[in-house]
Amino acid sequence: MSEAAGGIEIGLNAAIVAMVDEEPAVLTVGRDAGVDLADALPFGPFDPVRHRTLELGLRAWVEAQTALRLGHVEQLYTFGDRGRHARADDADPHVVSVGYLALTRLVDGAEGPTGRALAATGGGFRPWYDYFPWEDWRRGRPAILDEAILPAMRAWRAEDPEHRGLGRALGRAERLRLHFGEDGAPWDEEKVLERYETLYEAGLIAEASRDGRVCARAAAAPLGRAMRFDHRRILATAISRLRAKLKYRPVVFELMGESFTLTELQKTVEAISGRHLHKQNFRRLVENAALVEATGETSLVTGGRPASLYRFRREVLAERPAPGLRLGSRG
Amino acid sequence: MSEAAGGIEIGLNAAIVAMVDEEPAVLTVGRDAGVDLADALPFGPFDPVRHRTLELGLRAWVEAQTALRLGHVEQLYTFGDRGRHARADDADPHVVSVGYLALTRLVDGAEGPTGRALAATGGGFRPWYDYFPWEDWRRGRPAILDEAILPAMRAWRAEDPEHRGLGRALGRAERLRLHFGEDGAPWDEEKVLERYETLYEAGLIAEASRDGRVCARAAAAPLGRAMRFDHRRILATAISRLRAKLKYRPVVFELMGESFTLTELQKTVEAISGRHLHKQNFRRLVENAALVEATGETSLVTGGRPASLYRFRREVLAERPAPGLRLGSRG
DNA sequence: TCAAAAGTGTTATCCTTACACCCATGT
DNA sequence: ACATGGGTGTAAGGATAACACTTTTGA
């Protein structure tokens, strides 16, 4: 019980999310080291001598490197996987990495903190649906599902060795039903991680080849943009969490400006949850959740009738135990 | 970006939960080292050379040391706090600890794996409400709330330096309302961690004295049994998570035997969620969630009319996207 | 005058809550 | 017979889902 396993490093990985033109986007760093062609999430080592907590450590290096002001910051998961994190060779020091989700607001287009952020990291904000095109149902069912994913997944299901989950794990058919909505089952937008992991196992994700899997299909027509190490998995975790949290915590407002129209708010929620919402119901929802209040001003940039501007009512935090946008199945 | 912070150790802490006579109990290890008088959660170092993932590492040492078979295992949170984990002196190596929740079933009273588990660790399973007496509302509002906690917390609220949360943090009055149900607000049984942290901040938790806080009140009449380091915080996290998860995943069954009566199931759910449920509504809930099926047998040990025995329907896992006991506000 | 987007009112349906009553066994 | 716990039916209320329609601007 006293054998210490020394030589471990703690890495902090952050999925830093902001809205860029109605699109949820994530900060990626450039391929500065030239090690790999894929995008990576910003990464920083945790130094327990300088920082009292993991979150403070994260905030410190993010703010130092990117000049972004982080709003909501949330720990996602700690990964200790060998073979996923590091490349196959075992010589490098072991890195246990703690994944974080952070929300921020971009002040301006190209100037301001944001511009400097991009310059400093050599990367930039990129729409998260570039990495997960099958998660964007805002304009209906994504074509990639029926054209590429489901045919391949049905083949994978057919070659199922035992047609049933062993022990408590789900079998392939069940996972296809529950996570991908096969056989008329509903699509659950929160199951982003489950879908990613199932695709990974089925060998449809380019990253899986590093894990010693055959990726014939992945090589032929890659599903979404790849990322370094297991960063795409961290991003999938981040999206899952954000989509879930939206419903019981007012996190959207961390991504919005000071004032906004109800349509802008709806577009943001739609962008995050990846689905279309009914205008009328969404408005009533916001209304009787008392999440916002009118500023009295109107916005004329909409193209039609001017829209009232609203601001977030901070008071709800003190009023309601779980303030959020409890979108039903239709919103 | 390349400064490595070496010399860190990864510790794995598990809140291993099982039912002991209608009480949720947690495995604690004895004060073998004699270092501290308080109970501790079982702890093991993570050795990345021997174990591929954190969870496998955890399962390995738990099974080696306790002979328990773990069912559901779930990562809770990773703590890097200095000053909470380690004692104040900075000389010892930094430990980042990953908290886990694990559910298990005790096969027998004193023999079998359980007995050996107790013997091997020098500790045993102890009701979790020993550590959190204010969380047990099964027999109505706990007396300790009105007798000790709320008076002290009102005093703490009165000496609030700024009467309002600074920035996005909640003020003392709001926290008392939302987390402790002051001023007619409802009690939310999932806010176990929030309550513990508020009590900690208010100086009512014995453990806080190690963090350099004055604990006049804590010394006079300690609230609940203390634990070593920040283990009670990990346990609070575990209870919060389990209470929440109960509602959308069939985790209760990890704590039940193969077959059980509906009343036994209800008692277990009540024990975990810490509140009383209406019999009729609970039964209907279980019924149309299709979570169980009758075995055909009956139990005669109830004292009244024999009760039908049921077993968990594993098939729901494949049928429903979120099978659980969505207890409403009354159950 | 028309397109585009904002904003309002109303109804059917389901799920939650709550209540009241009957059944089978041991003592 | 009666106490004890097991088991069932049904009505009221509130939240959700879905519908169609009016209003105000710019071009």
Side-chain angles (χ1 to χ4, degrees), chain A residues 228-301:
Chain A
R228 223 148 116 184
F229 307 137
D230 62 348
H231 289 189
R232 211 156 147 209
R233 187 160 155 237
I234 296 175
L235 182 54
T237 312
I239 298 174
S240 283
R241 266 289 242 298
L242 190 52
R243 284 184 171 180
K245 202 134 202 175
L246 210 58
K247 289 163 189 161
Y248 59 95
R249 229 83 273 265
V251 277
V252 223
F253 301 105
E254 304 274 348
L255 297 166
M256 309 287 303
E258 256 317 295
S259 67
F260 43 82
T261 69
L262 289 184
T263 304
E264 280 166 12
L265 182 63
Q266 182 178 345
K267 290 276 183 245
T268 305
V269 172
E270 286 178 338
I272 293 169
S273 61
R275 59 183 230 228
H276 176 72
L277 300 174
H278 274 193
K279 186 177 54 159
Q280 304 89 334
N281 292 341
F282 178 79
R283 291 170 116 88
R284 185 186 0 269
L285 204 66
V286 173
E287 184 103 2
N288 53 25
L291 283 167
V292 298
E293 63 192 353
T295 64
E297 272 144 87
T298 53
S299 166
L300 293 162
V301 296

Side-chain angles (χ1 to χ4, degrees), chain B residues 150-186:
Chain B
L150 287 177
M153 294 302 277
R154 289 196 195 102
W156 173 75
R157 174 179 59 186
E159 70 196 31
D160 192 349
E162 36 215 303
H163 241 73
R164 210 66 232 267
L166 6 74
R168 44 175 48 84
L170 287 171
R172 295 185 177 182
E174 283 82 28
R175 290 162 77 183
L176 216 45
R177 241 183 70 78
L178 291 171
H179 305 332
F180 291 86
E182 264 283 86
D183 306 321

